[in-house]
Amino acid sequence: MKHLDGTQLARLEELLCAQQRELREEIRRELLQSDEEHHKDLAGMVEDSGDEAVANLLADLEIAIIDRHVHELRDVEAALGRLASGTLGICSDCAREIDYERLEASPAATRCIRCQERREKTLAHEATPTL
Ligand SMILES: [Zn+2]
């Protein structure tokens, strides 16, 4: 069951590879940048913190800064994997085909519009502050 033709698949692969390159570059930049900031923070903290505490804090900061892009990169790489195995464009929730127009706008999409909207509504509810 193929709903995407060769031209469309080639186009999606091109988009995904471009995103992959951009994200990798961005993560690399962020790591370099965060490193400099860490050194500044480190200078002020070494006085009253043990080595281990500082190291943990640095790890946390680094993760927070690049976390979003690492997630995106993971999604893009997963999409490239689905492209290779021929399952790209199949909704992970309802197993229906995702429109090519939607895939071209966001090639790493894992859900059709209907499932995505339903999920966003659910997440919006879950995100309500509990405090
Ligand atoms: Zn769906």
Side-chain angles (χ1 to χ4, degrees):
M1 204 170 67
K2 275 254 172 256
H3 73 292
L4 300 170
D5 64 31
T7 313
Q8 289 171 330
L9 286 172
R11 172 75 182 138
L12 292 176
E13 184 173 19
E14 193 183 305
L15 289 168
L16 284 167
C17 286
Q19 286 188 359
Q20 189 184 33
R21 273 196 307 274
E22 274 169 33
L23 285 167
R24 280 189 180 160
E25 178 59 26
E26 218 150 327
I27 290 166
R28 197 184 65 85
R29 258 204 313 268
E30 280 161 1
L31 279 174
L32 290 173
Q33 209 178 2
S34 67
D35 217 25
E36 285 167 27
E37 282 162 16
H38 288 172
H39 286 308
K40 272 183 246 153
D41 289 343
L42 200 57
M45 287 186 316
V46 177
E47 293 289 318
D48 47 39
S49 307
D51 284 346
E52 200 184 315
V54 174
N56 286 340
L57 186 67
L58 293 186
D60 286 348
L61 281 173
E62 201 157 284
I63 287 165
I65 289 165
I66 64 168
D67 193 47
R68 193 170 59 88
H69 287 128
V70 169
H71 271 286
E72 284 175 27
L73 181 61
R74 219 173 274 159
D75 287 346
V76 166
E77 288 180 343
L80 281 167
R82 291 197 300 278
L83 188 95
S85 64
T87 56
L88 186 77
I90 304 297
C91 177
S92 63
D93 284 7
C94 69
R96 289 200 191 93
E97 293 163 354
I98 303 172
D99 290 343
Y100 175 70
E101 288 70 29
R102 169 161 168 75
L103 287 171
E104 197 176 25
S106 49
T110 56
R111 291 180 187 82
C112 67
I113 288 176
R114 212 174 288 176
C115 291
Q116 184 64 40
E117 281 174 354
R118 194 170 50 207
R119 188 176 163 82
E120 273 162 17
K121 266 180 213 157
T122 313
L123 287 178
H125 279 294
E126 282 172 1
T128 309
T130 51
L131 292 176

